[in-house]
């Protein structure tokens, strides 16, 4: 691809002039981040095609998102698709004075054209400044998208003459913000991100009591709590307590002891069942439904990203797996009532069942996540003992099913979810975890 790493590009962020557009009292990277966040809800509407175009054109989708935020505020400042006094078209503001606009203002065809223009400028900057690093050339190409190649004279004064005297720095900062939030990454080669066609039905999200709550940034359909998921139902109380006590609050694991749980991206999955997909009123099931539900939860999940990463790293298990469980169990907290779910029987983000464990920590605390993760690790290890010939990935998937219904419920790999809630628990959690990992940040 050769367009550099957007996360390595230096940036001073938005100028005071640009920041004043949103009435901000500060400028710089902080202002760029604020404006990018303001546009996130609208940006999520176009996430799928941004990713698709980025993948096809070999450029980081976060860069496209950064330009869309700067140029059109993800469409919010356009009048019937037009901006710049009727001279520029669409999300990426293709100027009709220099190009023949293609496609609808928010179409894939339009994004392909805008991205082609951008990569064309980056390549021109490469020719003009061959001694620059790939990241410097990338930033120069972004400036040229606004002011043309001739307008880029030196790296130090790259934005002098650009709109607001900050165009490339502001776009870079916004792009970096989108990439850190997740959802604007090039997907791995073995993962195809799908969305439910027509998935947005206008239904309002529900809380655990079935009451309407404010929709999150991704504007998806309802988040209903998942009922009846009893942890370790296949164990006696004494057996469950014994497993729980093998891991103290500190985790009780060394990194060496807990590695070898397989690669979540290599676990096969059929995704959510129709029963689970119906909880969000989705018109599809399978991996697309799991992706939709994971995306619905991503705004809330990002609040816990730091602690999820820390717990996963310390306990030697992929943070994306923890995120997948949190999404399935509690919708990243949205389905809980004062921290409780499952009719008051299960506690916290990972829904630890009080009937089988002495609960530890607040519902969204690191201590709670350690306890839930320790239970998961125990279940994987029990499946390893029960099915020693399974691959690490198969044992991982079996452990996820056991997290829901205990190792006694796992009878074969082909029917691993036969006894789980919705008959899809491990498949759904796997698909959600793969989505979180493919988005980055977990």
């Amino acid at each position: 691809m050769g367009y550099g790493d957007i996360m390595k590009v230096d940036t001073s962020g938005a100028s005071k002039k640009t920041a004043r557009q949103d009435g901000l009292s500060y400028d710089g990277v902080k202002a760029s981040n604020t404006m990018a966040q303001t546009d996130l809800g609208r940006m999520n509407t176009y996430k799928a095609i941004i990713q698709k175009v980025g993948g096809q054109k070999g450029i980081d989708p976060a860069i496209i998102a950064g330009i869309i935020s700067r140029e059109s505020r993800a469409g919010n400042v356009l009048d019937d698709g037009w901006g710049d006094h009727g001279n520029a078209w669409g999300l990426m503001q293709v100027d009709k004075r220099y190009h023949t606009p293609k496609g609808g203002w928010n179409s894939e065809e339009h994004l392909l054209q805008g991205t082609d223009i951008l990569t064309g400028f980056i390549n021109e900057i490469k020719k003009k400044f061959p001694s620059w690093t790939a990241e410097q050339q990338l930033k120069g190409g972004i400036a040229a998208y606004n002011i043309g190649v001739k307008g880029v004279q030196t790296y130090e004064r790259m934005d002098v003459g650009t709109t607001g005297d900050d165009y490339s720095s502001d776009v870079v900062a916004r792009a970096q913000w989108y990439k850190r939030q997740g959802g604007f990454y090039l997907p791995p080669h073995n993962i195809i991100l799908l969305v439910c066609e027509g998935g947005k039905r206008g239904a309002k999200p529900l809380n655990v009591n079935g009451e309407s709550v404010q929709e999150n940034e991704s504007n998806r359909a309802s988040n209903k709590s998942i009922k009846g998921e009893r942890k370790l139902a296949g164990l006696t109380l004494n057996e469950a307590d014994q497993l729980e006590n093998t891991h103290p609050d500190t985790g009780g694991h060394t990194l060496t002891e807990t590695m070898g749980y397989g690669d979540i991206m290599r676990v096969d999955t059929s995704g959510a069942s129709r029963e689970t997909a119906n909880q969000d009123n989705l018109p599809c099931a399978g991996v697309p439904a799991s992706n939709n539900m994971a995306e619905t939860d991503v705004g809330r999940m990002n609040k816990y990203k730091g602690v999820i990463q820390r717990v996963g790293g310390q306990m030697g298990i992929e943070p994306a797996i923890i995120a997948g469980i949190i999404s399935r169990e509690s919708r990243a907290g949205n389905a809980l009532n004062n921290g409780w779910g499952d009719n008051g029987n299960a506690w916290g983000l990972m829904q630890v069942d009080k009937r089988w464990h002495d609960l530890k920590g607040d519902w969204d605390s690191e201590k709670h996540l350690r306890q839930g993760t320790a239970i998961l690790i125990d279940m994987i290890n029990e499946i390893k003992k029960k099915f020693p010939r399974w691959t690490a990935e198969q044992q991982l998937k079996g452990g996820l099913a056991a997290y829901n219904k205990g190792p006694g419920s796992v009878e074969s790999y082909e029917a691993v979810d036969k006894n789980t809630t919705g008959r899809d628990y491990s498949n759904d959690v796997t698909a959600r975890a793969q989505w979180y990992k493919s988005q980055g940040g977990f």
Side-chain angles (χ1 to χ4, degrees):
M1 298 178 188
Y3 295 124
D5 182 350
I6 190 64
M7 302 305 287
K8 294 180 180 179
V9 179
D10 65 277
T11 176
S12 55
S15 65
K16 283 184 170 59
K17 181 177 180 181
T18 298
R20 281 198 297 268
Q21 295 171 357
D22 277 30
L24 301 178
S25 60
Y26 48 89
D27 57 358
V29 172
K30 182 180 178 181
S32 296
N33 291 349
T34 299
M35 291 184 283
Q37 185 173 14
T38 297
D39 300 336
L40 180 61
R42 293 181 297 272
M43 195 71 69
N44 279 333
T45 305
Y46 310 111
K47 182 181 291 185
I49 60 170
I50 291 171
Q51 289 174 314
K52 185 177 180 181
V53 169
Q56 290 175 350
K57 296 299 181 179
I59 195 165
D60 199 321
I63 300 170
I64 301 174
I67 288 176
I68 289 172
S69 176
R70 168 72 185 226
E71 289 284 349
S72 68
R73 304 309 297 270
N76 197 49
V77 299
L78 303 183
D79 185 3
D80 292 328
W82 291 100
D84 190 16
H85 307 290
N87 289 311
W89 176 248
L91 292 171
M92 294 183 75
Q93 288 290 273
V94 173
D95 198 312
K96 70 179 183 181
R97 294 166 293 188
Y98 300 95
H99 308 277
T100 301
K102 299 178 182 178
W105 66 270
N106 59 356
S107 67
E108 181 179 336
E109 187 176 9
H110 164 70
L111 293 188
L112 285 168
Q113 182 181 26
T115 304
D116 278 337
I117 294 169
L118 172 63
T119 55
F121 278 127
I122 297 171
N123 289 331
E124 288 297 308
I125 291 294
K126 286 183 176 183
K127 295 176 184 177
K128 186 174 181 179
F129 302 102
S131 63
W132 283 9
T133 67
E135 284 71 32
Q136 290 174 323
Q137 292 166 342
L138 170 58
K139 190 175 182 183
I142 293 172
Y145 188 84
N146 175 253
I147 201 174
V149 175
K150 291 182 179 179
V152 181
Q153 301 294 329
T154 66
Y155 187 76
E156 293 73 18
R157 295 174 58 81
M158 178 180 297
D159 274 330
V160 174
T162 65
T163 305
D165 290 324
D166 69 344
Y167 187 88
S168 70
S169 279
D170 182 30
V171 167
V172 167
R174 297 192 198 205
Q176 290 174 345
W177 187 89
Y178 285 120
K179 189 158 187 176
R180 282 193 299 269
Q181 303 312 300
F184 295 96
Y185 278 67
L186 284 172
H189 65 85
N190 60 334
I191 290 293
I192 300 174
L193 298 178
L194 301 172
V195 295
C196 294
E197 196 66 36
K200 297 179 183 177
R201 297 296 188 188
K204 292 185 179 299
L206 306 177
N207 63 20
V208 71
N209 298 316
E211 301 167 341
S212 294
V213 296
Q214 184 176 1
E215 293 190 45
N216 73 349
E217 295 285 357
S218 58
N219 193 31
R220 295 292 183 183
S222 63
N223 300 334
K224 297 179 182 177
S225 64
I226 298 171
K227 303 293 186 183
E229 300 194 354
R230 294 181 61 191
K231 302 300 165 294
L232 310 184
L235 299 181
T236 67
L237 183 59
N238 288 337
E239 287 172 336
D241 285 342
Q242 184 177 7
L243 284 174
E244 170 64 10
N245 290 334
T246 60
H247 300 284
D249 293 343
T250 57
H253 301 276
T254 66
L255 194 58
T256 301
E257 289 171 339
T258 56
M259 296 303 284
Y261 297 121
D263 181 351
I264 191 63
M265 302 306 281
R266 295 181 180 178
V267 179
D268 64 279
T269 176
S270 56
S273 66
R274 169 55 60 188
E275 179 181 346
T276 298
N278 283 343
Q279 294 167 357
D280 275 29
N281 298 323
L282 297 176
C284 63
V287 173
S290 296
N291 289 348
N292 268 265
M293 291 183 284
E295 184 181 3
T296 295
D297 300 335
V298 73
R300 295 181 296 273
M301 195 71 70
N302 281 334
K303 297 178 184 177
Y304 310 112
K305 184 181 292 185
V307 66
I308 291 170
Q309 289 173 322
R310 185 161 58 252
V311 170
Q314 291 173 350
M315 301 186 74
I317 198 161
E318 290 187 84
I321 298 171
I322 301 173
I325 289 175
I326 290 172
S327 175
R328 168 71 186 228
E329 288 286 349
S330 68
R331 304 311 297 268
N334 198 52
L336 303 183
N337 186 0
N338 294 324
W340 292 99
D342 190 14
N343 299 312
N345 289 311
W347 177 249
L349 292 172
M350 295 183 75
Q351 288 289 271
V352 175
D353 198 310
K354 70 179 183 181
R355 294 166 293 189
W356 305 99
H357 306 282
D358 293 326
L359 304 178
K360 299 176 182 179
D362 293 333
W363 67 271
D364 60 350
S365 67
E366 181 172 340
K367 195 172 186 180
H368 163 72
L369 293 188
R370 285 180 180 278
Q371 182 179 28
T373 304
I375 295 169
L376 171 63
I377 289 170
D378 285 328
M379 292 299 96
I380 299 171
N381 288 332
E382 288 298 304
I383 292 296
K384 285 183 176 184
K385 296 175 186 176
K386 187 173 182 178
F387 301 102
R389 294 186 178 181
W390 284 10
T391 67
E393 282 70 33
Q394 289 174 324
Q395 291 165 342
L396 170 57
K397 190 174 181 181
L400 290 172
Y403 186 84
N404 175 246
K405 288 296 185 181
S409 70
V410 181
E411 301 169 359
S412 70
Y413 187 73
E414 292 70 26
V416 68
D417 275 328
K418 176 183 176 182
N419 299 310
T420 63
T421 305
R423 293 174 297 281
D424 69 343
Y425 187 89
S426 69
N427 278 288
D428 183 29
V429 169
T430 294
R432 297 192 199 206
Q434 289 175 344
W435 189 88
Y436 284 119
K437 188 163 185 178
S438 71
Q439 302 311 294
F442 293 96

